[in-house]
């Protein structure tokens, strides 16, 4: 299923500020049978997911740091490096020191593998940054070609931010769900990925 199709976006506006965004799409079921992935493939999927998460955090923090007192943000993303190209938009809502992040038309293109990965927070997905912007949780759907899978954090991810806005995820854990009730767990720590 093309995650970009059948999207209806309803934006409620009051004055100059956006006060709410609701997304409606058909419920997406995973199509990738993750039980058939090899150990190396599971690690590869987990490393890709970690790279995507770090990219989203970097872009979200840049957007938030520009106007930290705002409560709602719309952040277009257009990043092009030697290894990746990232396009899309982040919708961010702040409550106190916590931020809820939704992705819109988010395309992460890995140039060496010539592989697009689409990341969707639709169908009750989210990224949630909390604890004074030092930990985050998420529930997302991912798609490559015609294969879909879902990922849910099972342990909050912690990250460090350097002075040049680079983010390094230190540790955390997630479960990737595929079709037919298949799943695998993976962990991130200072030594790398364990899947």
């Amino acid at each position: 299923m093309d995650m970009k199709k059948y999207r209806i976006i309803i934006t409620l506006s009051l004055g100059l500020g956006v006060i709410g965004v609701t997304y409606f799409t058909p419920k997406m079921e995973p199509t990738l049978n993750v039980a058939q992935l090899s150990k190396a493939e599971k690690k590869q999927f987990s490393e890709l997911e970690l790279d995507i998460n770090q990219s989203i955090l970097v872009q979200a923090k840049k957007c938030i740091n520009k106007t930290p007192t705002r409560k709602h943000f719309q952040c277009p993303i257009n990043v092009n490096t030697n290894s990746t190209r990232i396009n899309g938009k982040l919708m961010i809502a702040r409550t106190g020191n916590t931020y809820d992040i939704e992705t819109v038309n988010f395309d992460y293109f890995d140039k060496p593998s010539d592989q697009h990965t689409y990341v969707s927070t639709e169908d009750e997905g989210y990224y949630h940054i909390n604890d004074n912007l030092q930990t985050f949780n998420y529930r997302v759907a991912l798609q490559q070609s015609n294969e879909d899978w879902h990922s849910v954090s099972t342990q909050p991810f912690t990250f460090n931010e350097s002075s040049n806005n680079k983010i390094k995820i230190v540790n955390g854990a997630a479960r990737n769900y595929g079709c037919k009730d298949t799943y695998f767990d993976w962990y991130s720590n200072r030594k790398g990925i364990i899947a």
Side-chain angles (χ1 to χ4, degrees), residues 145-160:
S145 301
N146 293 321
E147 299 284 12
D148 301 300
W149 70 99
H150 296 175
S151 184
V152 179
S153 55
T154 55
Q155 173 186 318
F157 282 76
T158 61
F159 60 92
N160 294 329

Side-chain angles (χ1 to χ4, degrees), residues 82-98:
N82 290 335
S83 59
T84 56
R85 187 175 70 240
I86 308 170
N87 295 104
K89 184 187 293 185
L90 300 180
M91 306 293 287
I92 306 174
R94 176 174 68 87
T95 305
N97 284 333
T98 67

